[in-house]
């Protein structure tokens, strides 16, 4: 019998999708839509803008910010997107911007680029290493149960702790 496992695409990373690709979902009323907001590093300098939200639909959780790096960084246009785990960033309460204390305009140049392909576990682990975060020892299904993916760190006081960042279109807050 012929081995066809190599011709079947892997489902790894398929649990994550861009919010803009999900016509039936939107940012929840009690969550700010951070797309287009400036992203600043630990040095306070901007290094990009939030381009998109990468979400896990089943969990109704934003897992990553797709950040388009500034052209001022002189990076190839093909390497100008990075994914940041939601818990390594925070909304800046002083302005509508996103603060990432673990990166700056120099260290972001060493960060693994995101080319809008499937997000594999190997890529996720490379991001965690670039941010000096520990790799989870828990089973794969619990990968996002770690501080780097904690939405509360990101949203802080901008929304209630018990609410979701995005929702099915037309869904009311208390459904």
């Amino acid at each position: 019998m012929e081995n066809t496992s190599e011709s079947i695409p892997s489902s790894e990373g398929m649990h994550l999708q861009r919010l803009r690709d999900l016509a039936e979902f939107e940012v929840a009323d009690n969550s700010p839509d951070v797309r287009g907001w400036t992203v600043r590093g630990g040095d306070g300098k901007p290094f990009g803008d939030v381009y998109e939200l990468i979400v896990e639909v089943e969990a109704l959780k934003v897992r990553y910010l797709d950040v388009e790096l500034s052209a001022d960084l002189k990076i190839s246009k093909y390497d100008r997107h990075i994914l940041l785990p939601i818990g390594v960033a925070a909304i800046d309460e002083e302005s509508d911007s996103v603060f990432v204390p673990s990166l700056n305009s120099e260290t972001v140049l060493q960060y693994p680029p995101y080319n809008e392909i499937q997000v594999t576990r190997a890529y996720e682990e490379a991001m965690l290493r670039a941010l000096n975060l520990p790799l989870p020892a828990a089973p794969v299904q619990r990968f996002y149960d770690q501080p780097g993916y904690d939405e509360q760190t990101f949203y802080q006081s901008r929304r209630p702790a018990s609410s979701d960042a995005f929702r099915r279109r037309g869904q009311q807050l208390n459904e």
Side-chain angles (χ1 to χ4, degrees):
M1 183 171 185
E2 184 180 322
N3 181 359
T4 59
S5 62
E6 291 183 45
S7 62
I8 300 171
S10 167
S11 64
E12 183 181 18
M14 296 302 288
H15 64 290
L16 300 173
Q17 297 183 44
R18 295 179 297 202
L19 185 56
R20 73 171 184 228
D21 293 340
L22 301 170
E24 67 276 13
F25 289 93
E26 62 187 3
V27 173
D29 289 340
N30 57 344
S31 294
D33 188 347
V34 299
R35 291 176 285 189
W37 288 18
T38 299
V39 180
R40 298 181 186 281
D43 57 3
K45 296 178 184 173
F47 62 77
D49 297 310
V50 177
Y51 180 74
E52 187 56 70
L53 304 175
I54 307 298
V55 302
E56 182 181 12
V57 176
E58 284 187 22
L60 284 178
K61 300 281 184 194
V62 174
R63 296 301 186 190
Y64 294 103
L65 302 174
D66 175 352
V67 175
E68 182 172 20
L69 300 176
S70 171
D72 295 344
L73 296 176
K74 297 182 177 35
I75 304 172
S76 160
K77 67 179 182 177
Y78 303 107
D79 294 333
R80 285 192 35 211
H81 284 259
I82 63 170
L83 291 187
L84 291 174
I86 192 81
V88 303
I91 291 175
D92 183 343
E93 290 296 326
E94 301 295 316
S95 65
D96 284 344
S97 63
V98 173
F99 179 63
V100 184
S102 57
L103 290 176
N104 61 47
S105 55
E106 291 187 24
T107 59
V108 75
L109 299 175
Q110 307 308 313
Y111 199 83
Y114 169 61
N115 296 313
E116 294 197 34
I117 56 173
Q118 290 179 191
V119 179
T120 64
R121 187 65 67 207
Y123 179 75
E124 288 176 312
E125 290 174 357
M127 284 187 286
L128 295 176
R129 281 192 294 276
L131 293 163
N132 295 315
L133 294 174
L135 298 179
V140 172
Q141 65 268 25
R142 310 233 8 154
F143 184 84
Y144 298 117
D145 291 344
Q146 56 181 314
Y149 295 95
D150 182 6
E151 286 185 311
Q152 294 310 310
T153 302
F154 180 73
Y155 290 106
Q156 298 173 24
S157 61
R158 285 281 187 106
R159 69 178 176 92
S162 62
S163 62
D164 295 316
F166 71 103
R167 65 172 187 202
R168 194 170 295 280
R169 288 190 189 279
Q171 181 179 359
Q172 298 302 314
L173 286 176
N174 295 322
E175 283 185 12

